[in-house]
Amino acid sequence: MSDVVERTLSALPGLLGQHDPGAGPGGAGGPGRVSASSRLGSLIRSITALTSKHEEEKLIQQELTSLKATVSAPSTTLRLMKECMVRLIYCEMLGYESSFGYIHAIKLAQQGNLLEKRVGYLAVSLFLHENHELLLLLVNTVVKDLQSTNLVEVCMALTVVSQIFPREMIPAVLPLIEDKLQHSKEIIRRKAVQALYKFYLIAPNQVQHIHDKFRKALCDRDAGVMAASLHIYLQMIKENSSGYKDLTGSFVTILKQVVGGKLSADFNYHSVPAPWLQIQLLRILGLLGKDDPRTSELMYDVLDESLRRAEINHNITYAILFECVQTIYTIHPKSELLEKAAKCIGKFVLSPKINLKYLGLKALTYVIQQDPNLALQHQMTIIECLDHPDPIIKRETLELLYRITNGQNVIVIVQKMLDYLKESQEEYAIISLVGKIAELAEKYAPNNEWFIQTMNAVFSVGGDVVHSDIPNNFLRLLAEGFDDEKEDHQLRVYAVQSYLALLEEEDKLYPQKFLQVMSWVLGEYFSLVTDVDPEVILTKLHSLLKKTFVTSETKAWIMAAVTKIASHTSCSKTVDEIIQELSSSLDTCLRQYAFELKHLCEDKALMKTLLPFDASCSDLVVDASLSFLDGFVAEGLAHGAAPYKPHHQRQEEKLSQEKALNFEPYGLSFASSVSSSGVTGRQSPTGLSFGSDISGNSAETGHKETNTLKLEGVRKLWGKEGYLPKKENKTGKENEPQPVPCGSLLAGQVGEAPALQPVQGASLSEEDKEKQQLASTLFIGLGSSAGVSLMGKADTATQKFKRKSKITETQQLSEEASDFQASAASDFDPLLDTVPVNVEDSEGSLHTRLRKASPSSSDTVEDNLAFETPQSLRKSVLDDRISANRLSQSSLFADGNIEIFQPSSGAQCESASETPLVPSLAEELEELPHSEVVGLCQSDALALHLCKVWTDDSLLLIVFVSNKTTSALHAVNLVFEETEHFQILESATSHFPVIEAQSVEHCQKCVRMNKVCTQAILPASVSYQSEMETCLEFSVALSLMDFIRPMEMTTEDFGKLWLSLSNDVKQNIKMSSCQDSLSAALDTLQQKLKLHRVDVIGNEGILACQLLPSVPCLLHCRTHSGMLALWFRSPCAALPDGLLYQCQKVMEES
């Protein structure tokens, strides 16, 4: 260890730039001048010589005290400050806070020479995080260094920007970094690309307008710049792969050159050419080729070459092989590549090395969805991995079993997961596994008893670390029930009986969440068990209240159960005892519950009315206006009470009384030409006070605004001055888990499995026979495609517990919307007559899956059909064709043959030979703004078309269902699936009992956006009965602009609403030659983005819109030096970013 320390210390002078020309061998610098490396070396040697942590803390505190005195002294030179910073960095790296030196690190970066600035920037990047308030002091220094002619200063500034830089200050440096993409030095271009990648991660919409420059970086002559751009493209392709299909050829060419060793030897690692570059490119190709035969065909050769060349036995080549396997199974399949990838997985799984075995299991888990036959080939190895001493191998094996679970092997797999849970002490593993077990139990439970016992085991073993969604979903399932009332009754009865049996064990300690579940079920369904006296249940709950390990929250659940049971009993001594005991409790909540229970018991009729049986799913009528308080309010006002003030008014009054520092950055600080008119703080964007005595001449006011200095704090504001602080969400920590030993709570026998095939005719040992028996139970059901559980994809297996919707859920887009709705006008501007039609948004999904039921088997085969992208949506709709290739391979048991249906490599879409029926809108809808009628999908018998209609308060999707045959179609069902982004109002299903031959039916769906996104997919499916049951799946692309409407308001209302909003985004956009004036730019935004122009004041304009149904977004525009400065504000944090992207897109297109 001492050798390593000495070698490190000898290298420090060169690293820190310590070169004193006047210092001779004897140290001619004099005894008073000790270099930074000597001081740091002395500190490191002293620490390594210590024997305890206490001695280290004492030494570091002495060093920090000395450093604090040195850096605070006014006589300290920059050279000495640099030496102190080096030691402070070392102390921080050891975990000791040295916050007193943060400001001095910034000063050193601002004032020092190159070496001192280098140390200052290094210290700042290590000391501060990107949200630190001191970073604002570094912005001007970064801007100055970016404009420097010294390459070293520019590199240092770019490095700091790519590591830590506040999101709000991006507009100040973005134009300068854009210019650096054209720099003659490749290191500058590379660092500029890295800085833009950082910007894309923290504020993607602020760099949307320079995507063309990213393409130039991809084609840069320097390989380092090209490699840096791959990070940006990987991120962008993850979000939207369809927009970058045209770059597939470029990525394939780059990968061919890398694999062929065309790059410099500097990129090699252990004789492997640019391995990390290969991994990035393989991931990109996998995303681009997914479900796209034409794109995948371009990359088959290079993937084959990558597999062939990655044969060196080294960890880095294993990583490349793993990425190759993932890519091959992600893109459109090719049989030759699949065989080679399967061999690689087999080598990994069978390897004695733990790391390679883990890679094999990881790859097998990934590809099991596409090729379940691989699991059958390696089933004995998987069984052995269940008993592997390495817990990571065990966990990955359980993940693999989770992916292949079906109704036939669920009992065995869940038992294996529970066995692992009982042994595991890792909180992460417990949380992950209990979620998987709960999902499998709900989906594949063979009977009610097994389901309840499994959930009991989950709550017992998982403890209080179980995610709250699991008990909530379990209770909701019990409350909502299923389509079968008899099943509902049996499940609830068994749950009550199970919990009563568990409470018989008085010394048993159960987790708090499990006790809460027990309490709720016993209180809700106690009357279903007729052979148990309610007094017995009350006695058991009373004993729980006396337990010291029961928390106050759980006691509240127990009291709620006691109250429900007491409402259906005439009189109870136990209830009286509970009231008497808790009336003097030190816990105020329990005293309150006892007080309420006492008064409810005095009026049994009222108690039964308030607590009806099994009413947990009943809808509650809530008086949102609180009209029952009108009398109280009137009485208070009559006695002189202060009237209620809205939120924004209280905020204004509060801010007018206290002056806070304004941390809002100057969005245009980088341009000296507009420094006199920068917009700052939470002020009005135009600088006008509508309630003041300023003249209403907007032109004159705008002229003054441009030619005079705009000072902070002047009264020319909308409303009151000050800074509106953003709200901070604070979440408390959950209780620590309590590990509870639990016996086996599962019961049930596993059905007989098919007999195993003889293995090479050799006699098997007892251990081998047990493993093969276990394999036959674990992998049963994989011989049929219907039995394979494809997690993340549509599963054709019948779900055991199918909930029926009793509760109507409403999702609200913003919790703050109610604070300002009173001050905002709710009327729309009339929609424009000419509404732009986005062809891409109207286009349906390109991936349709056809599912047909076999007349001879109940199994269902699901095939993916990939369609080519139509060049024009006006062309005739496409015809589906599929040819299935059957791949079967024998397994270790008798009926282990598996059938895998894959589309033929030559399958493609052709134009329909017959002219389809042309649907048209109804007369009342023709008058509204609407899109063209475009094709969604079709089969031999049926065709679907879509038309969007934009109303004032919603988006209507008109779906036309055309019967192309000469016979009637029966039982046609059209179902839209609700996603996290969209909500279907009213019913998401439309049913057509009969569609006559050569006729068209239609339905309309009203859609709302729940979660803001630029563009997303709304999946749907249509099924019908002809000669056999057929199902077509399709999707509709919807964009943000489908849900944006103009919002009328006055300038005064705009000002009030502006001050109440806290989420804002700023960006500068270059104006084209045809948009040389503010009026032209506002016309473009108003027409194409459906915005309402509120007012124009000089060179500034204000516009307003709203996201349906009533989420406002305000826009302030200002022109300067050929730039358009945009400033958005909205109560929804994601809405300004989405509209900013649309603005950039519209301005570039126009």
Side-chain angles (χ1 to χ4, degrees), residues 222-224 261-277:
D222 182 73
K262 303 294 184 181
L263 297 187
S264 171
D266 296 336
F267 289 90
N268 292 357
Y269 178 76
H270 286 270
S271 302
V272 180
W276 287 275
L277 194 56

Side-chain angles (χ1 to χ4, degrees), residues 696-938:
N697 190 337
S698 61
E700 180 183 353
T701 307
H703 181 71
K704 290 181 180 180
E705 189 76 2
T706 304
N707 298 312
T708 60
L709 181 64
K710 185 174 180 180
L711 299 176
E712 182 94 37
V714 293
R715 302 297 295 176
K716 295 182 180 181
L717 303 174
W718 284 338
K720 303 295 182 180
E721 63 181 358
Y723 172 73
L724 184 62
K726 296 183 179 179
K727 298 181 180 179
E728 296 181 359
N729 297 326
K730 298 181 179 180
T731 58
K733 296 183 178 179
E734 297 182 354
N735 296 333
E736 293 295 326
Q738 298 180 0
V740 179
C742 177
S744 176
L745 298 178
L746 293 180
Q749 299 294 330
V750 182
E752 292 185 5
L756 295 176
Q757 291 183 356
V759 182
Q760 298 179 354
S763 58
L764 300 177
S765 63
E766 291 297 328
E767 183 179 358
D768 291 337
K769 290 181 180 179
E770 291 178 1
K771 289 182 179 180
Q772 290 195 0
Q773 180 66 26
L774 179 59
S776 64
T777 54
L778 284 175
F779 297 94
I780 187 173
L782 292 188
S784 172
S785 58
V788 181
S789 173
L790 304 182
M791 301 300 173
K793 293 191 175 184
D795 196 345
T796 60
T798 303
Q799 186 167 339
K800 168 65 180 176
F801 297 119
K802 206 170 185 179
R803 303 176 186 174
K804 58 181 179 182
S805 58
K806 290 185 179 180
I807 300 177
T808 302
E809 299 180 356
T810 57
Q811 299 181 351
Q812 301 198 5
L813 190 60
S814 172
E815 297 178 355
E816 302 177 10
S818 59
D819 293 336
F820 52 79
Q821 284 180 352
S823 63
S826 60
D827 295 334
F828 289 106
D829 254 358
L831 286 176
L832 303 174
D833 294 334
T834 57
V835 178
V837 178
N838 191 337
V839 177
E840 294 179 0
D841 292 348
S842 303
E843 183 177 345
S845 172
L846 303 180
H847 310 296
T848 305
R849 290 183 292 179
L850 180 63
R851 185 174 58 204
K852 296 185 178 180
S854 172
S856 60
S857 172
S858 60
D859 296 340
T860 304
V861 179
E862 184 169 327
D863 299 325
N864 293 332
L865 301 184
F867 293 96
E868 296 177 2
T869 306
Q871 298 298 326
S872 172
L873 292 177
R874 295 187 179 182
K875 292 183 179 180
S876 59
V877 292
L878 304 177
D879 183 41
D880 305 342
R881 293 196 312 168
I882 183 172
S883 62
N885 297 326
R886 172 168 300 187
L887 301 177
S888 61
Q889 191 165 353
S890 59
S891 66
L892 293 181
F893 45 88
D895 59 345
N897 292 336
I898 181 168
E899 296 178 356
I900 305 172
F901 292 85
Q902 297 175 342
S904 172
S905 60
Q908 59 182 3
C909 295
E910 298 178 355
S911 299
S913 58
E914 299 180 1
T915 304
L917 300 173
V918 180
S920 59
L921 286 175
E923 293 182 0
E924 61 273 13
L925 296 178
E926 280 283 357
E927 301 175 357
L928 298 174
H930 60 274
S931 68
E932 296 181 358
V933 178
V934 297
L936 286 177
C937 64
Q938 73 167 353

Side-chain angles (χ1 to χ4, degrees), residues 965-1019:
T965 65
T966 56
S967 59
L969 295 178
H970 299 275
V972 180
N973 291 311
L974 181 66
V975 181
F976 281 90
E977 301 177 13
E978 291 194 9
T979 64
E980 61 174 343
H981 295 102
F982 304 113
Q983 176 187 5
I984 307 295
L985 302 184
E986 299 177 354
S987 175
T989 304
S990 295
H991 176 68
F992 305 98
V994 178
I995 299 181
E996 299 297 336
Q998 296 294 317
S999 64
V1000 179
E1001 297 287 346
H1002 77 278
C1003 65
Q1004 67 180 33
K1005 299 298 177 184
C1006 185
V1007 186
R1008 291 272 178 86
M1009 178 172 279
N1010 284 330
K1011 183 178 179 182
V1012 176
C1013 60
T1014 304
Q1015 186 169 352
I1017 297 299
L1018 179 63

Side-chain angles (χ1 to χ4, degrees), residues 190-401:
R190 182 168 67 248
K191 288 184 176 292
V193 172
Q194 292 171 348
L196 291 175
Y197 174 60
K198 175 69 173 180
F199 291 170
Y200 185 83
L201 292 179
I202 62 178
N205 288 314
Q206 298 198 24
V207 295
Q208 292 280 2
H209 61 290
I210 57 175
H211 281 191
D212 290 340
K213 296 183 179 179
F214 294 157
R215 299 199 174 210
K216 293 181 181 179
L218 182 64
C219 302
D220 195 278
R221 59 183 179 274
D222 182 73
V225 179
M226 176 271 296
S229 67
L230 291 181
H231 294 282
I232 301 179
Y233 274 106
L234 178 60
Q235 195 68 27
M236 293 191 299
I237 292 173
K238 282 181 180 178
E239 299 170 1
N240 178 25
S241 61
S242 60
Y244 303 94
K245 298 281 188 179
D246 57 322
L247 292 177
T248 305
S250 300
F251 292 124
V252 169
T253 302
I254 294 172
L255 183 56
K256 284 182 179 178
Q257 294 179 1
V258 173
V259 173
K262 303 294 184 181
L263 297 187
S264 171
D266 296 336
F267 289 90
N268 292 357
Y269 178 76
H270 286 270
S271 302
V272 180
W276 287 275
L277 194 56
Q278 291 190 49
I279 291 174
Q280 288 283 80
L281 288 167
L282 288 170
R283 291 175 178 173
I284 290 174
L285 293 180
L287 295 172
L288 291 174
K290 186 177 182 180
D291 299 328
D292 190 341
R294 177 175 295 179
T295 304
S296 300
E297 190 174 353
L298 299 175
M299 55 187 76
Y300 288 152
D301 293 338
V302 71
L303 290 176
D304 191 7
E305 185 69 13
S306 298
L307 281 176
R308 187 179 64 82
R309 288 180 177 266
E311 295 177 352
I312 305 175
N313 291 328
H314 193 274
N315 285 338
I316 195 62
T317 59
Y318 300 146
I320 295 175
L321 285 175
F322 178 78
E323 292 295 337
C324 280
V325 169
Q326 280 197 316
T327 303
I328 290 170
Y329 276 94
T330 302
I331 65 176
H332 190 74
K334 184 181 180 182
S335 57
E336 294 83 356
L337 286 177
L338 291 177
E339 291 176 5
K340 294 181 179 180
K343 290 180 181 179
C344 290
I345 295 176
K347 291 180 180 178
F348 286 158
V349 172
L350 298 176
S351 174
K353 297 181 179 179
I354 294 180
N355 290 337
L356 295 187
K357 188 179 290 293
Y358 173 79
L359 268 186
L361 291 173
K362 195 80 174 175
L364 200 56
T365 304
Y366 179 79
V367 306
I368 197 67
Q369 299 180 0
Q370 290 84 4
D371 190 3
N373 194 35
L374 278 179
L376 301 177
Q377 295 176 10
H378 304 289
Q379 52 184 312
M380 297 309 299
T381 305
I382 295 173
I383 296 301
E384 293 175 357
C385 290
L386 284 173
D387 299 324
H388 200 280
D390 194 312
I392 305 299
I393 299 294
K394 278 187 179 180
R395 190 188 307 168
E396 193 59 37
T397 306
L398 291 175
E399 177 68 23
L400 173 60
L401 295 179

